[in-house]
Amino acid sequence: MARGSAVAWAALGPLLWGCALGLQGGMLYPQESPSRECKELDGLWSFRADFSDNRRRGFEEQWYRRPLWESGPTVDMPVPSSFNDISQDWRLRHFVGWVWYEREVILPERWTQDLRTRVVLRIGSAHSYAIVWVNGVDTLEHEGGYLPFEADISNLVQVGPLPSRLRITIAINNTLTPTTLPPGTIQYLTDTSNGLYFCTRHPPPTSMTSPSPPAWSKTVVRASGLVNYQISVKGSNLFKLEVRLLDAENKVVANGTGTQGQLKVPGVSLWWPYLMHERPAYLYSLEIRGKGFDWPLLVKDFNLLRWLGANAFRTSHYPYAEEVMQMCDRYGIVVIDECPGVGLALPQFFNNVSLHHHMQVMEEVVRRDKNHPAVVMWSVANEPASHLESAGYYLKMVIAHTKSLDPSRPVTFVSNSNYAADKGAPYVDVICLNSYYSWYHDYGHLELIQLQLATQFENWYKKYQKPIIQSEYGAETIAGFHQDPPLMFTEEYQKSLLEQYHLGLDQKRRKYVVGELIWNFADFMTEQSPTRVLGNKKGIFTRQRQPKSAAFLLRERYWKIANETRYPHSVAKSQCLENSLFT
């Protein structure tokens, strides 16, 4: 949902890794092997925000040339994290501008002495513009948050008898402009009519990743899986290359030789979503906020998904950490993978510079996530102003570019525009709709939902003849608030609203409605405003992951759908079958 926080966030997930002379290609999650080593840089970093008026004192005084503590006081900052959430300094909560991170690292001696070793510095995510120095040398710049970037620093660490200590300095600017993704607008203090306004949103702290050696493409022909590979080798031409494909139990399932070829896997076992029958396939779940990365919380969330009987979510509204994608592969959770195209609400945001950057972001998203079987669809935006003519061309180009990157998956964006005015809908494969009947309008009139929902579905399907997903619906609920008859913000109102939506969805889901995603999985923090009580409360779980009344309603519904699709010729029951990880 586009109603995100105006608080600025920044995060890192760095990694150093060393391997035999490297292989070009996509960037995948780092895997250690006999020839590859990883050194995680998570932990405490030295941190300073540049509070100068122009936010550029760090560049003017060249803070990167010597240890950060020598140029002034620093504080400890955990990585990964959102710096706005950590400090008790109120200035950091809403800080926009340049912040500085630094850490010294001791490298293994073989990394610095063995010239056959390639040393790569990897940043999992830094929002929104980052500049990286290694021992004071400008090494890497990257625009855009949420996604990994890296640089080969071998020449900086393998120069003569240098000490094995490495100083890494990273400057990050979280300012959003009309050409960033997500975009923002800036009005300065000299504008007395409006004051100072920064529009910023939540990037998720992700962890580190590393490049993949080969470029892979995969397909299935009947009972055999085919893997086409192409490998580039840097260095000597005197080598012998063997390719082995391993299954989850480290058993070799296919062999090959040479720098390119095709591996054939007989009797391949296909990945399949949790609790989903082949026909009809139907997505039923919640929107999950991906900000931050924490293993205990992540495992808890996936256990709650399985408890609910849910089978899907959308990465709203940015790519999530790669560990999340791995868990989806592992647990059978379908993913609609969305880029940070949220907040595209003004005409000036649909410009050529933004279009070029948006395409580049989609390249990074597809490159990172294309080999995850859980990803079934790409989403290029959430709630853009798709009624604008300029938005129509813009979305057409981004969608076409994404299809060229990955012709195997459908592409969508999430709309809240009028069906007759939407200029981007003709170009998508699946229509995704956000609507909040009896919440943002017609307050309290739950009896209108079924009619409004039916009209919405019929209008969109009649015009575009495409499958439809209800990608957001819901109501804010303060846990422990009760009222009968139901009133807004009570648990009874949220439950009743969902029940009315479900009656409308059931009329269409056996026809052309192929999914329903409630907003939201759990409550989350937003900027403060008169309409928010310590954040967005549309979750069916609290921020502490305790269920509200609606969670039990959804559990009953999702398991009923799972059972009736698994056993389509039997009487539908709501038995929570196979609800244990140990079943």
Side-chain angles (χ1 to χ4, degrees), residues 459-526:
N459 286 339
W460 280 88
Y461 188 72
K462 181 178 179 181
K463 182 171 180 62
Y464 298 105
Q465 296 290 302
K466 296 178 180 180
I468 297 174
I469 293 176
Q470 182 69 41
S471 45
E472 288 185 26
Y473 67 105
E476 303 230 11
T477 303
I478 309 297
F481 277 29
H482 297 281
Q483 188 76 37
D484 187 51
L487 295 180
M488 296 177 75
F489 292 97
T490 66
E491 295 193 38
E492 288 76 18
Y493 192 88
Q494 183 185 45
K495 184 178 178 181
S496 297
L497 183 145
L498 298 184
E499 287 175 330
Q500 292 301 309
Y501 261 90
H502 295 160
L503 290 171
L505 286 162
D506 285 343
Q507 296 300 313
K508 305 298 182 183
R509 69 179 173 90
R510 293 180 177 87
K511 299 176 182 177
Y512 49 80
V513 173
V514 298
E516 56 185 74
L517 305 175
I518 184 178
W519 185 274
N520 190 17
F521 175 75
D523 297 342
F524 60 94
M525 183 54 68
T526 66

Side-chain angles (χ1 to χ4, degrees), residues 77-98:
M77 187 61 63
V79 172
S81 73
S82 299
F83 72 78
N84 309 85
D85 268 348
I86 302 300
S87 174
Q88 296 304 109
D89 186 342
W90 65 268
R91 297 177 302 168
L92 277 183
R93 176 65 188 175
H94 298 281
F95 182 84
V96 175
W98 287 100

Side-chain angles (χ1 to χ4, degrees), residues 333-363:
I333 301 299
V334 172
V335 177
I336 300 174
D337 203 348
E338 189 165 273
C339 80
V342 60
L344 296 165
L346 301 176
Q348 59 264 38
F349 294 161
F350 300 99
N351 58 74
N352 288 334
V353 176
S354 297
L355 177 60
H356 180 267
H357 178 54
H358 202 144
M359 290 179 172
Q360 183 179 26
V361 169
M362 289 310 304
E363 290 178 11

Side-chain angles (χ1 to χ4, degrees), residues 88-135:
Q88 296 304 109
D89 186 342
W90 65 268
R91 297 177 302 168
L92 277 183
R93 176 65 188 175
H94 298 281
F95 182 84
V96 175
W98 287 100
V99 297
W100 294 71
Y101 288 81
E102 187 171 273
R103 178 170 175 176
E104 289 193 348
V105 183
I106 297 177
L107 298 182
E109 184 175 343
R110 59 189 171 277
W111 289 21
T112 62
Q113 301 302 315
D114 187 349
L115 299 183
R116 297 173 303 171
T117 298
R118 182 180 177 223
V119 182
V120 174
L121 175 63
R122 174 100 167 168
I123 311 297
S125 170
H127 183 73
S128 167
Y129 195 93
I131 306 174
V132 183
W133 294 265
V134 175
N135 291 337

Side-chain angles (χ1 to χ4, degrees), residues 181-192:
L181 201 66
T185 57
I186 304 175
Q187 295 172 338
Y188 293 95
L189 287 171
T190 52
D191 183 348
T192 58

Side-chain angles (χ1 to χ4, degrees), residues 1-7 200-202 289 317 342 524-527 532:
M1 190 177 180
R3 302 166 185 85
S5 169
V7 176
T200 57
R201 297 195 182 276
H202 301 259
R289 300 288 291 179
H317 304 295
V342 60
F524 60 94
M525 183 54 68
T526 66
E527 62 175 326
R532 299 292 194 205

Side-chain angles (χ1 to χ4, degrees), residues 382-395:
N382 178 75
E383 297 183 351
S386 51
H387 62 282
L388 299 174
E389 291 292 343
S390 57
Y393 172 78
Y394 182 103
L395 291 168

